[in-house]
Amino acid sequence: MAPKMTTSSYAVLALLDLKPWTGYELTHQAQRSLRYAWPKSERLLYSEPKKLVDLGFATTHQEDSGGRTRNVYTITAAGRDALGEWTRTRTQPPRLEIEALLRLLFADHGSREDLLGALDELEMDIGEHHQAIVELMASYLGGGHPFPQRTHLSVLFATFQIEMFKSIERWIEFAREEIDEWSTTQDLGMTPRTETLTRLLAQDQSPVNP
Amino acid sequence: MAPKMTTSSYAVLALLDLKPWTGYELTHQAQRSLRYAWPKSERLLYSEPKKLVDLGFATTHQEDSGGRTRNVYTITAAGRDALGEWTRTRTQPPRLEIEALLRLLFADHGSREDLLGALDELEMDIGEHHQAIVELMASYLGGGHPFPQRTHLSVLFATFQIEMFKSIERWIEFAREEIDEWSTTQDLGMTPRTETLTRLLAQDQSPVNP
DNA sequence: AGGGTCTACTGCAACTTGCAGTACGGGTGA
DNA sequence: TCACCCGTACTGCAAGTTGCAGTAGACCCT
C-alpha cells in the first residue's frame, strides 16, 4: 500500500516547492515558519520527505558538506501537480489546544494561586511567540525575508498572529482582574458579576477591553 | 508497567469528580464541554476511564438501563488526591492548528478563489462554534448550567472563546479586504501596502479594525 | 415487518510524539 | 593537547491518539 498524503505531507511538499532542502534544514525551517499554523514534531518532519520520495513527489540525493553526508530532497513535477490539487480540497476545521483553559475550567480543584499561575504560564508562552513575530517583522523591513516574492503572504499571516496574541493577552489581563475579585475558586456559582458577564455574552458582546 | 497519566487522563478525572458518568455520557460530555480547551476523540474518551480504573483513580460497575448494560465510572479518594497534585504541575504550552492559515502561507500554489474559499471554510467552522457558545450563555441565564456552583468558571472560560471567535472573524474580514486588492496570489512580494502592514506589525500594532 | 436513529461500546491500522541513541566536526578552556 | 560541550544530521522505538469499521440492543415510525 502506498502511504497516504496527510496535511503535514502537503506542508512539507509546499516547502520543497520553494527550493530543495536537506532533512535537517527542513525540520528547522518547518518548525520556525509553520509552528503557528501547523505545529509538527521534528521527528515527523524527518519522516515526511521520505514518504514524498516513495510517492514520487520528491527525489533525494546525498551531498557532502564538510566531510559529512546529508540527504537533499527536491520536488518533482508530480509533486507540483499534487500541490495544485491540494489547494482545491476541503480545509480541516481549526483545533485549539490550550491546557491553561482546562485548568481554568477545573480551577475549583486547586487554589486561586494555582489558577493565576496557569495564566502566568500561558502569558509567558504567548509572550515569547509574540515578541518573536514582532522581531521577525522588523527583520522583513530590512529585507530579511528568505523568499522576498512571498512577503505579502507572510505578512498577512503575521497579522493573524499579532491579532491572536494581543487578544489572548488582553483576555489574560481581564481574567486576572475577575479572579482578583474572587475569594476562592469554588462554589461561587452565578454571582451578580457572573450574571452581568453571562448577559453580555448571550448578546454576543465581549466584556474584554480592547 | 502502570499506564501514564496524560493531560487527557486528568481532564476525564476532573469530569468524574463532578459526578459518576457512564462511558457514553463521558465521551459526549467531554466533547461538548472540553472541545475548545482540550479537543479529544470519542475513541480516546472511551479508553481513558479504563486507565483510571487500572491506576486506582476510579472504580467501575455495570448498571442496567432499559435492559442494556453500561459501565459507570466513579472517582476514588486516590483519584481526588491525584487531581489536587495535577493543579500544581507545569502547564503545557498552547497549540493552535489552523489549516486555513497553512493554505494562506502557501496560497501562491493556488488561485485567489482557492484562498478565499479556505477563509470561507474557516469562517463557517468558527461561526458554528461562535453561535453555539452564545446560545449556551443564553441557556445559563435561564438556569441551565448542569453544575450551577461552577457557573463562574464556565462563564470566564466562555469570555475567552467569544473574544477568540470575534477576533478571528474580524481578521478574516480584514484578510478578505486585503486579498481583494491583490491581482494574483503570486510574487507580489513587498508591495507598498505590505510594507505599511509590516511597519505596523514591527511596532506591535494590529491593523485589524476592532 | 423493515428501516432509521440513538445508545453503547470494541478492535485495529495508521498517524504522531517524545525520548534515547548514534555519530561526526569545530571551538574553548585548563 | 585533549577533554568536553555544542551544533549538525539523523534513526529506532515505545507509547499516545485518531478515524473508521463493526457489533448490538432498544425504540419509533410507516
Side-chain angles (χ1 to χ4, degrees):
Chain A
M1 251 301 272
K4 209 193 125 198
M5 287 295 281
T6 62
T7 300
S8 305
S9 316
Y10 287 110
V12 169
L13 194 55
L15 282 175
L16 283 183
D17 193 37
L18 302 179
K19 70 163 208 184
W21 305 83
T22 70
Y24 183 78
E25 286 171 330
L26 213 41
T27 59
H28 291 255
Q29 180 59 28
Q31 298 217 312
R32 260 198 305 280
S33 63
L34 307 181
R35 197 175 12 168
Y36 306 106
W38 201 250
K40 289 297 135 183
S41 68
E42 194 195 19
R43 190 62 189 83
L44 183 70
L45 266 5
Y46 269 116
S47 305
E48 285 299 341
K50 296 190 169 186
K51 201 166 78 179
L52 296 176
V53 171
D54 280 1
L55 284 158
F57 294 159
T59 57
T60 181
H61 66 105
Q62 304 254 312
E63 239 179 42
D64 239 61
S65 82
R68 310 200 43 184
T69 66
R70 42 195 201 157
N71 308 317
V72 181
Y73 297 94
T74 310
I75 195 169
T76 62
R80 282 206 190 81
D81 289 350
L83 258 188
E85 270 165 56
W86 174 60
T87 60
R88 266 165 261 127
T89 59
R90 177 70 165 90
T91 306
Q92 286 174 231
R95 182 193 169 100
L96 316 183
E97 269 179 29
I98 308 178
E99 203 196 302
L101 294 180
L102 192 61
R103 307 282 184 135
L104 166 60
L105 265 174
F106 296 115
D108 48 351
H109 300 302
S111 64
R112 283 173 71 253
E113 284 62 43
D114 291 336
L115 174 55
L116 291 169
L119 291 181
D120 288 347
E121 285 169 2
L122 177 60
E123 190 177 42
M124 274 189 290
D125 289 330
I126 295 287
E128 271 173 47
H129 298 327
H130 189 162
Q131 201 191 328
I133 194 79
V134 167
E135 280 163 21
L136 190 65
M137 290 305 106
S139 83
Y140 285 0
L141 283 175
H145 198 292
F147 302 95
Q149 74 282 7
R150 305 185 74 258
T151 308
H152 60 302
L153 300 173
S154 302
V155 169
L156 188 49
F157 177 56
T159 62
F160 180 89
Q161 290 170 68
I162 294 274
E163 179 68 11
M164 255 334 77
F165 293 154
K166 279 175 166 289
S167 176
I168 294 174
E169 284 162 348
R170 275 197 304 268
W171 177 82
I172 291 171
E173 200 40 55
F174 171 83
R176 270 204 275 257
E177 283 163 23
E178 292 296 317
I179 295 162
D180 280 345
E181 302 297 313
W182 295 357
S183 49
T184 168
T185 53
Q186 287 165 64
D187 299 329
L188 296 175
M190 186 63 100
T191 62
R193 173 61 181 163
T194 292
E195 191 168 347
T196 304
L197 291 180
T198 311
R199 214 170 285 283
L200 271 173
L201 297 173
Q203 292 164 38
D204 194 22
Q205 284 166 32
S206 169
V208 181
N209 297 316
Chain B
M1 252 301 274
K4 208 193 125 196
M5 286 295 281
T6 62
T7 300
S8 305
S9 316
Y10 287 110
V12 169
L13 194 54
L15 282 175
L16 283 183
D17 194 38
L18 302 178
K19 71 164 207 184
W21 305 84
T22 71
Y24 182 79
E25 286 171 330
L26 214 40
T27 60
H28 291 255
Q29 180 60 28
Q31 298 217 311
R32 260 199 306 280
S33 62
L34 306 181
R35 197 174 13 165
Y36 306 105
W38 200 250
K40 290 296 134 182
S41 67
E42 194 195 17
R43 190 62 190 81
L44 183 71
L45 266 4
Y46 268 117
S47 305
E48 286 299 343
K50 296 190 169 184
K51 200 166 78 179
L52 296 176
V53 171
D54 280 0
L55 284 158
F57 294 158
T59 58
T60 181
H61 66 105
Q62 304 252 315
E63 240 179 42
D64 239 60
S65 81
R68 310 200 43 185
T69 65
R70 41 193 203 159
N71 308 318
V72 181
Y73 297 94
T74 310
I75 196 169
T76 62
R80 281 204 191 82
D81 289 350
L83 258 188
E85 269 165 57
W86 174 60
T87 60
R88 266 164 261 127
T89 59
R90 178 68 165 90
T91 306
Q92 287 174 230
R95 184 191 167 100
L96 315 184
E97 269 179 30
I98 308 178
E99 202 195 302
L101 293 180
L102 193 60
R103 307 282 184 135
L104 167 60
L105 266 174
F106 297 114
D108 48 351
H109 301 301
S111 65
R112 284 173 70 255
E113 284 60 43
D114 292 337
L115 174 55
L116 291 169
L119 291 181
D120 288 347
E121 285 169 3
L122 178 60
E123 190 177 43
M124 274 190 290
D125 289 331
I126 296 287
E128 270 173 47
H129 298 327
H130 189 161
Q131 201 192 328
I133 193 80
V134 168
E135 280 163 21
L136 189 65
M137 289 306 107
S139 84
Y140 284 1
L141 283 175
H145 198 292
F147 302 95
Q149 74 282 7
R150 304 185 74 259
T151 308
H152 61 303
L153 299 173
S154 303
V155 169
L156 188 50
F157 177 56
T159 63
F160 180 89
Q161 291 171 67
I162 295 275
E163 179 67 11
M164 256 332 78
F165 294 154
K166 279 175 165 290
S167 176
I168 295 174
E169 284 163 347
R170 275 197 305 267
W171 177 83
I172 291 171
E173 201 40 55
F174 170 83
R176 271 203 275 257
E177 283 163 23
E178 293 295 316
I179 295 163
D180 280 345
E181 301 297 313
W182 296 357
S183 48
T184 169
T185 53
Q186 287 166 63
D187 300 328
L188 296 175
M190 186 62 99
T191 62
R193 173 61 181 163
T194 292
E195 191 168 347
T196 304
L197 291 180
T198 311
R199 215 171 283 282
L200 271 174
L201 296 173
Q203 291 164 39
D204 194 22
Q205 284 167 33
S206 169
V208 181
N209 297 317

